[in-house]
């Protein structure tokens, strides 16, 4: 248990290392989830740089203001892989010389790469596995550069229990400065259907 | 020149193979761009499955209704790479058995992976290199599955020459059916500043 505060403070820490019983206990508190949701987690789901292990928070357990985040350093390898997947080989992402002469004065990550970190928090943590992504708005506020540590945060804003719809505030920060903000709409998983 | 119609009809064709002079001629017609923008293109920029070679269309050359697209098959390798980059290892994307039991009845691509194809059209074709991505709205309408051929389309809706701002209609289709739609706002490159 005494590992938790360190893990929360430092992006280099994660929850992959405490023994399973501790992980279970932490996750139950964190997610206020019934035990059957907790036991679905696999080892690889808790080896990320998140504040909480990955899994599911059903709509019955969601609360306004509930927040989850992950921290990730965007690397050159990430940018190269995203270029391959998206086919977006715009030289502002890949060519140092070209990028130096642009308004950004250096290479930047694809905006949708950063947006992918938001969708990771939604799909893995809040509400997590079982969520259906309906929509997302994105405002790109500042560039993310190779080597930047991005913190992607998601917060519950509205819960429509009848429609199982949840509105989430979504934002990404680098060194405390917003680089991306927007809103997501999702269909949240329910304990009643599982 | 007689290669062009084939290339436009088939997503397996591309503009990487015509000799440079032909490429240049096609691109001038396509983009109505002055010759100096055309000559910036490199070989690797024209080996994609687009309707037009990649490069820049400056705001002075943009017109309402101008449209560009790309076609890409989303592969298992793409989904695996996107999972690595985003850290989103939600089993609906990666685990066949899990995904079979979900509403999707099989694995699906990350929504932001499909959105990345839109940003590729914007960043590589319309307006292309030199564009600053300001914002994007996304509505996820239907799942994209491994093996699906996605057509990402971008169309010019509004041009604000004073602010260099351009609004784009953005959509992705699989077999003619919309899977993703939204709007993008960008700062377009200008011939006056280059």
């Amino acid at each position: 248990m005494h590992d938790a505060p360190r893990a929360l403070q430092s992006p280099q820490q994660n929850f992959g290392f405490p023994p399973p019983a501790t992980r279970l206990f932490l996750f139950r508190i964190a997610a206020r989830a019934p035990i059957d949701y907790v036991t679905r987690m696999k080892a690889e789901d808790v080896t990320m740089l998140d504040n909480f292990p990955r899994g599911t928070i059903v709509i019955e357990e969601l609360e306004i203001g509930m927040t989850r985040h992950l921290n990730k350093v965007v690397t050159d390898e990430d940018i190269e892989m995203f270029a391959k997947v998206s086919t977006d080989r715009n030289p502002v992402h890949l060519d140092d010389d070209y990028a130096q002469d642009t308004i950004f004065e250096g290479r930047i990550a694809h905006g949708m790469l950063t947006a992918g970190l938001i969708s990771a928090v939604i799909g893995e943590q809040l509400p997590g596995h079982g969520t259906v992504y309906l929509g997302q708005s994105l405002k790109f506020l500042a560039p993310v550069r190779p080597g930047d540590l991005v913190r992607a945060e998601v917060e519950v804003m509205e819960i429509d229990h009848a429609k199982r719809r949840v509105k989430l505030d979504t934002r990404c920060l680098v060194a405390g400065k917003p680089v991306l903000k927007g809103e997501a709409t999702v269909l949240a998983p329910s304990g009643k259907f599982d």
Side-chain angles (χ1 to χ4, degrees), chain A:
Chain A
M1 273 303 288
H2 59 277
D3 276 342
R6 273 221 315 279
L8 288 168
Q9 283 158 23
S10 162
Q12 269 68 50
Q13 285 285 341
N14 66 61
F15 277 88
F17 302 113
T22 309
R23 286 214 306 266
L24 201 65
F25 179 64
L26 285 172
F27 186 72
R28 276 195 76 179
I29 293 171
R32 304 183 192 183
I35 197 78
D36 55 309
Y37 298 107
V38 174
T39 52
R40 280 193 211 144
M41 290 195 307
K42 297 172 192 166
E44 61 265 33
D45 293 332
V46 288
T47 57
M48 320 309 284
L49 308 174
D50 310 343
N51 55 342
F52 291 107
R54 302 190 170 203
T56 299
I57 306 176
V58 294
I59 193 165
E60 292 82 4
E61 305 289 337
L62 288 179
E63 287 173 19
I64 305 293
M66 194 180 267
T67 303
R68 293 294 181 272
H69 74 256
L70 69 79
N71 292 294
K72 184 182 189 306
V73 174
V74 173
T75 65
D76 283 330
E77 193 191 0
D78 291 327
I79 294 171
E80 180 57 44
M81 280 198 287
F82 193 91
K84 274 185 195 157
V85 172
S86 68
T87 79
D88 185 350
R89 304 196 66 82
N90 187 318
V92 78
H93 307 305
L94 302 168
D95 182 331
D96 274 318
D97 292 340
Y98 172 96
Q100 275 300 334
D101 288 339
T102 67
I103 188 178
F104 301 114
E105 299 180 339
R107 286 190 302 112
I108 62 171
H110 304 73
M112 284 296 173
L113 191 166
T114 309
L117 302 180
I118 288 172
S119 76
V121 177
I122 293 171
E124 291 261 50
Q125 294 178 267
L126 188 66
H129 302 172
T131 302
V132 177
Y133 213 171
L134 298 177
Q136 176 76 53
S137 65
L138 300 165
K139 284 192 182 177
F140 301 103
L141 304 173
V144 172
R145 300 173 189 283
D148 278 351
L149 174 68
V150 178
R151 179 189 172 98
E153 293 182 345
V154 174
E155 181 178 352
V156 177
M157 301 302 282
E158 295 174 32
I159 307 170
D160 180 339
H161 286 274
K163 294 183 177 172
R164 280 208 288 144
R165 288 203 182 205
V166 178
K167 276 204 177 175
L168 303 159
D169 187 64
T170 59
R171 56 213 176 224
C172 291
L173 302 100
V174 172
K177 182 185 160 197
V179 293
L180 176 55
K181 69 174 185 179
E183 273 190 11
T185 309
V186 301
L187 201 62
S190 166
K192 294 176 187 166
F193 298 102
D194 280 337

